Amino acid sequence: MQGDTVIFKVLRGVRNAINFPRLRNPLHLVSPMDFSELKSVCCGCSIRELCLPAGLTDQEVLLLDQHMSHRQPIKKGESLYRTGDTFRSLYAVSTGFFKTSILHEDGRSQVTGFQMAGEILGLDAISTDRHICDAVALEDSVVCEVPFERFEELGQLMSNLQRRFNRTLSSEIVREQGIMLLLGSMRSEERLAAFLVNLAKRFSIRKQSGSELVLRMTREDIGSYLGLKLETVSRLLSRFHDEGLLDVHGRNIQILDQVGLNRLVGST
Amino acid sequence: MQGDTVIFKVLRGVRNAINFPRLRNPLHLVSPMDFSELKSVCCGCSIRELCLPAGLTDQEVLLLDQHMSHRQPIKKGESLYRTGDTFRSLYAVSTGFFKTSILHEDGRSQVTGFQMAGEILGLDAISTDRHICDAVALEDSVVCEVPFERFEELGQLMSNLQRRFNRTLSSEIVREQGIMLLLGSMRSEERLAAFLVNLAKRFSIRKQSGSELVLRMTREDIGSYLGLKLETVSRLLSRFHDEGLLDVHGRNIQILDQVGLNRLVGST
DNA sequence: CACTCAATTTGATTTAGATCAAAAAAGTGG
DNA sequence: CCACTTTTTTGATCTAAATCAAATTGAGTG
């Protein structure tokens, strides 16, 4: 294939250009390349800058690419991983929408996040080598698998990548702190408003409309995420609708008053 | 000083023994050593195994030591850092007790954690280079400052350290998920019971009594952390006392029925 | 030691959101 | 297209925890 030849050339360049320190076990670098693997997962990806490759040079991205597995499709409703599964890989959402939820012993469960294109799944599993939550696709999706052992080795080669990854992990800590604040000290309407504003922001960063939201999750999922019951979520949506903040048609929600919604989050 | 001489010898040994790859800028390794810095912060530390050096070899710990700043005392009530401060260092609690809290724009604040010996402060700041919470000492404490830039370089040298650090970050993510579960789907009594059980466990790991807790924080701090009002915390403590689960004398709390307390967390 | 200020406890009352219930709407598959 | 399940909405009622209020305890300071 023509494409592969080009990439091969560039790769040779990368090896020479990047002045990386020697690995203790550099076998995976000097072994003959498997061309079937050279799918250039990241290089042509439209959301590169929102994902793991963010901030890397083209050459570094190419090196990262080499260590990624194929893209993997996940059908709506399927689990990417489940609680207790041994952890081998992180997953970057390429397209689609996921939810993660933890299970409490007594059957209760709580949604801990919704992930869209560019966001990383599985960061929590690094600590114990086992997944501690379930990741379920809420629509037909595609993920990029990142075998973590290889990724850690690559981090040793590319300080740039490692630094970015430290930030990725730290950002997840910050995100969760935001939810702690939301769950611990906001009233129901503030929570829902914050949720919608956040969702809209993330959609618009991805070049999708920041006002026309198509929710992929049920009211129950939203409620679980926000520490509310589904009835409360439904009532609040109706109220926001009545107040002219939103236009609600089932899971299609249009934000009519961005400012008003933002005011709800910050105040009271 | 005699002590320094010994350490110096060992350090020479370390340099030769550890077969680390070359750094792009290895200046800080070959520059003449600053003996005043050689305090051996970690090596003799009793909580080494609970802290950043966990799992490192003696020689690796010595190398880490070389990159740490002095121990730094913090008086009760003082801030280690505040929201908005630029991030330069992580801090490992050596002795003492801290709380971290985030401030909402509208003045509301929420306690996001309590940190004791061996636990790391500042992980959330990596993402933005600014601290996003306040860290306040709840008793006279001592912290070990870990300049983060140097630490990242060291991570590039010692894959072992970097791997451990990835886990440290991931553990923090998991810890916060636990709190999300607590805030989102537990009733007040379960929250408080979970809090006490967790505190007791962490004390006992540190060779302190796992049943005689001396709380360093106010009822309001506890409430803020658990998403409850201080009156509720107080009432619950009184109730647990009446039910024979605890012996409560102000901030001195003795756990009388560990099993009963654990049952509260898991069930209902 | 007494004084002051902060923290804690306890009681009475209110309320936000949960729970229970039932109808309406939207998917889904044969 | 129809039968069937799941999801969503809306109403009536209940309750856990918040709020308001006041007394009590405790810690720190001149």
Side-chain angles (χ1 to χ4, degrees):
Chain A
M1 271 205 285
Q2 200 193 355
D4 280 352
T5 321
V6 173
I7 288 173
F8 182 47
K9 269 194 198 158
V10 183
L11 272 176
R12 292 184 72 94
V14 171
R15 291 226 202 116
N16 300 327
I18 300 183
N19 187 12
F20 48 75
R22 268 169 300 153
L23 261 194
R24 269 166 308 164
N25 174 18
L27 257 186
H28 61 281
L29 279 178
V30 297
S31 63
M33 249 181 281
D34 178 356
F35 285 95
S36 69
E37 287 279 341
L38 278 179
K39 291 280 179 189
S40 177
V41 177
C42 299
C43 288
C45 186
S46 62
I47 47 143
R48 232 176 96 162
E49 281 307 319
L50 297 171
C51 197
L52 283 179
L56 301 185
T57 65
D58 288 353
Q59 295 181 326
E60 286 171 329
V61 175
L62 214 48
L63 194 56
L64 173 61
D65 246 354
Q66 200 191 352
H67 289 252
M68 308 262 290
S69 296
H70 286 330
R71 282 195 156 101
Q72 187 182 332
I74 305 277
K75 282 242 170 296
K76 178 177 173 177
E78 283 181 3
S79 294
L80 182 56
Y81 52 78
R82 286 171 208 268
T83 306
D85 287 358
T86 59
F87 168 66
R88 286 186 224 290
S89 302
L90 298 174
Y91 300 91
V93 180
S94 177
T95 61
F97 205 91
F98 285 81
K99 73 169 176 186
T100 47
S101 50
I102 7 176
L103 265 92
H104 205 192
E105 301 94 75
D106 53 4
R108 275 178 298 186
S109 81
Q110 169 142 356
V111 174
T112 54
F114 299 105
Q115 294 80 21
M116 52 179 77
E119 296 173 340
I120 313 297
L121 284 155
L123 297 174
D124 45 7
I126 296 170
S127 62
T128 54
D129 282 337
R130 294 202 167 268
H131 287 286
I132 60 148
C133 61
D134 291 9
V136 178
L138 295 182
E139 64 180 343
D140 292 353
S141 305
V142 177
V143 297
C144 304
E145 186 178 349
V146 187
F148 189 63
E149 260 188 48
R150 287 214 225 162
F151 182 76
E152 275 191 323
E153 287 170 14
L154 208 56
Q156 292 290 309
L157 286 179
M158 282 196 266
S159 62
N160 214 6
L161 180 66
Q162 182 63 60
R163 271 204 305 276
R164 292 276 168 178
F165 187 61
N166 285 340
R167 279 165 184 255
T168 301
L169 286 163
S170 178
S171 295
E172 178 65 10
I173 292 172
V174 172
R175 182 189 75 82
E176 289 184 357
Q177 282 181 6
I179 301 169
M180 283 167 59
L181 188 62
L182 180 144
L183 292 172
S185 49
M186 287 188 180
R187 284 174 307 98
S188 60
E189 58 182 35
E190 303 178 75
R191 295 186 202 185
L192 186 62
F195 170 73
L196 292 171
V197 166
N198 172 271
L199 217 56
K201 193 176 118 203
R202 282 155 71 202
F203 276 129
S204 70
I205 288 173
R206 284 163 183 79
K207 308 274 153 56
Q208 296 172 46
S209 169
S211 61
E212 308 232 9
L213 312 179
V214 181
L215 302 184
R216 255 66 234 223
M217 69 293 277
T218 66
R219 304 287 193 255
E220 188 169 15
D221 286 334
I222 299 173
S224 172
Y225 183 61
L226 300 178
L228 302 170
K229 292 292 155 183
L230 68 100
E231 294 96 326
T232 306
V233 173
S234 177
R235 269 183 250 272
L236 284 169
L237 285 173
S238 302
R239 215 179 79 202
F240 287 177
H241 182 102
D242 294 346
E243 292 169 347
L245 294 168
L246 304 176
D247 203 10
V248 182
H249 289 100
R251 296 192 183 178
N252 292 25
I253 292 185
Q254 178 159 21
I255 296 178
L256 300 174
D257 184 359
Q258 185 80 50
V259 180
L261 214 54
N262 267 301
R263 200 169 32 231
L264 264 185
V265 181
S267 72
T268 311
Chain B
M1 272 204 285
Q2 201 194 353
D4 280 352
T5 321
V6 173
I7 288 173
F8 182 49
K9 268 192 198 161
V10 183
L11 272 175
R12 290 183 76 93
V14 171
R15 292 225 201 116
N16 300 326
I18 300 181
N19 188 13
F20 50 77
R22 267 170 301 152
L23 261 194
R24 269 168 309 165
N25 175 16
L27 259 185
H28 62 283
L29 279 179
V30 296
S31 64
M33 249 181 282
D34 178 355
F35 284 96
S36 68
E37 288 279 338
L38 279 179
K39 291 282 178 185
S40 177
V41 176
C42 299
C43 288
C45 185
S46 62
I47 47 145
R48 236 175 95 159
E49 281 308 318
L50 298 171
C51 198
L52 283 179
L56 301 185
T57 65
D58 288 354
Q59 295 180 325
E60 286 171 329
V61 174
L62 215 47
L63 193 55
L64 174 62
D65 246 354
Q66 199 191 352
H67 288 252
M68 308 263 290
S69 296
H70 285 329
R71 283 195 155 101
Q72 187 183 331
I74 305 276
K75 281 244 171 295
K76 178 176 174 178
E78 283 181 2
S79 294
L80 182 55
Y81 52 77
R82 287 170 210 269
T83 306
D85 287 357
T86 59
F87 168 66
R88 287 187 221 291
S89 301
L90 298 173
Y91 299 89
V93 180
S94 177
T95 62
F97 205 92
F98 284 81
K99 73 168 176 186
T100 48
S101 51
I102 6 177
L103 264 92
H104 206 191
E105 301 93 76
D106 53 3
R108 277 178 297 186
S109 80
Q110 169 143 356
V111 173
T112 55
F114 299 104
Q115 294 79 21
M116 53 179 78
E119 296 172 339
I120 313 296
L121 283 156
L123 296 175
D124 45 7
I126 295 170
S127 62
T128 53
D129 283 338
R130 294 202 168 267
H131 286 285
I132 60 148
C133 62
D134 292 7
V136 177
L138 294 182
E139 64 179 344
D140 292 353
S141 304
V142 178
V143 297
C144 304
E145 187 177 348
V146 187
F148 189 63
E149 261 188 46
R150 287 214 224 162
F151 182 76
E152 275 191 324
E153 287 171 12
L154 207 57
Q156 291 291 308
L157 287 179
M158 282 195 264
S159 62
N160 213 6
L161 180 65
Q162 183 64 59
R163 272 205 305 277
R164 291 278 168 176
F165 186 61
N166 284 341
R167 279 165 183 252
T168 301
L169 286 163
S170 178
S171 295
E172 179 64 10
I173 292 172
V174 172
R175 183 188 74 83
E176 288 184 359
Q177 282 182 6
I179 300 169
M180 283 167 60
L181 189 63
L182 179 144
L183 292 172
S185 50
M186 287 188 180
R187 286 175 306 97
S188 60
E189 59 183 34
E190 301 178 76
R191 296 187 200 183
L192 187 62
F195 170 73
L196 292 170
V197 166
N198 172 270
L199 217 56
K201 194 176 119 205
R202 282 155 71 203
F203 276 129
S204 71
I205 288 172
R206 284 163 183 79
K207 309 275 155 50
Q208 296 171 46
S209 169
S211 61
E212 308 231 9
L213 312 179
V214 181
L215 303 185
R216 256 61 237 221
M217 70 294 275
T218 66
R219 304 289 193 253
E220 188 168 16
D221 286 334
I222 299 173
S224 172
Y225 183 61
L226 299 178
L228 302 171
K229 293 292 156 181
L230 68 100
E231 295 96 326
T232 307
V233 174
S234 177
R235 268 184 250 273
L236 284 169
L237 285 172
S238 301
R239 215 180 79 202
F240 287 176
H241 181 103
D242 292 347
E243 290 168 348
L245 293 169
L246 304 176
D247 204 8
V248 182
H249 288 101
R251 297 195 182 175
N252 293 27
I253 292 185
Q254 178 157 23
I255 296 178
L256 300 174
D257 184 358
Q258 184 82 49
V259 179
L261 214 54
N262 266 301
R263 200 169 32 230
L264 264 185
V265 181
S267 73
T268 311

